Amino acid sequence: MSATAADLLDTAPCGVFSVDVATSQILYANAAAARITARSRETLVGMSVTDLFTVEFEPILAALMDVVSTSESDSPVGADAKLTIASDRRAAIAVSILANSLRTPEGAVTVTMTLHNETERHVREKDLVDARHNAEAAQDDAEAALDRSQDALGASEEARKQAEAEKTQVQILASTLQRTLLPPILSAPTGMNVAAHYHPASIDEVGGDFYDVFPLDKQTWGFFLGDVSGKGAGAAAVTSLTRYTLRAAAVFDRNPIAVLDNLNTVLHHEFHGDDPRFCTVVFGTITPGPDGAVVDLASGGHPPALRITHDAVVDFVDTTGGQLVGALAEPHFASASVTLRPGDVMAFYTDGLTEAIVGPGRTRFDDDGGLESFAARKGATTAPKIVDDLTSLLASFGDGLQDDVALLAFEVPRPEADS
């Protein structure tokens, strides 16, 4: 019997709340939320959500609720906070809050709070490793039994089927979790085209690549694309925290350098110990105008954006010198400002593309300027076409593609008379 969406939400490893913005009362709490907060679900339901957080976060939470309840946009907004634990009011854990502006017929607003607990994350990772080892041990036992006796044939066949079923479940879990880390719909800036693609290197593991595009106000959009270190559940947790932090930081200060500084503070504080985590990321804003669009961006250790002009000139946006996000207490980030004219395209990508193995001696695709040459051969393009072309290129790498790849492209369309 397949699990329903409600069942999956109820048994999710991360805590989830549903809050009525009008009253601040918690309407629903899943099992993980009760475990992380050290409160029963019966206690959580009906209590004020402000009672869960430290005092200094209450005005930010109130402001967040106000933004959601008055916003005309369907895009989510978020913030970071510290959650108090019932058994020890002095203790607190970091959480990310993502508020959706979707309203019920009665006018209520659903607020989703995702709680991340590092201790539980390590336990889940260990459980996944143990499960894989157990599956491999079961396979070995089945093969040994087959060699010892023909009578064990039935048992070994059953063990093989079970191992296949477990592998399929792992793949389904990885695919489902990966989809939750990517936006289902991209909000294109006014008058522009946007296209994106995510290409997993393996169906057995959750990758750390991510992207998003979202409105900041009626004139300006925010976007980001990045790659978290590592794979699996640990990388997924960091990816989720990174996406929510970037969105929340952009709400309060949209300057790209300031947004990356905010993300660096969060990641360096949370993951600077025995399990360091970091990422490469580019964050920017796009402001469309009557003659094109202005793109202001900052890079933290990320490959430079590719620009193809309306007359097929190909170059890279210079953001060299930007350092990894989360690795250092005070890193340097590189910024740039670019004006896109009608017919211009700007494409972003993660390093799985440029570092794909394509030749003897582990030659990488972009060792000799392969990406620029590829774009030059394609000539003037559009956002959907450059993403389609790069997707076909990724498929041609075969086993040489050893890492996930995220693609994101923006285009200022040509006037219809010029198309």
Side-chain angles (χ1 to χ4, degrees), residues 174-234:
S175 176
T176 301
L177 182 55
Q178 187 70 66
R179 287 196 299 271
T180 67
L181 301 176
L182 299 173
I185 299 176
L186 293 179
S187 177
T190 301
M192 297 182 66
N193 293 328
V194 62
H197 177 73
Y198 177 81
H199 188 102
S202 170
I203 61 175
D204 296 325
E205 288 186 307
V206 180
D209 293 14
F210 58 91
Y211 59 83
D212 205 351
V213 183
F214 52 96
L216 291 170
D217 55 37
K218 293 183 179 180
Q219 291 77 38
T220 303
W221 274 252
F223 71 90
F224 54 79
L225 179 140
D227 182 5
V228 167
S229 61
K231 299 284 186 184

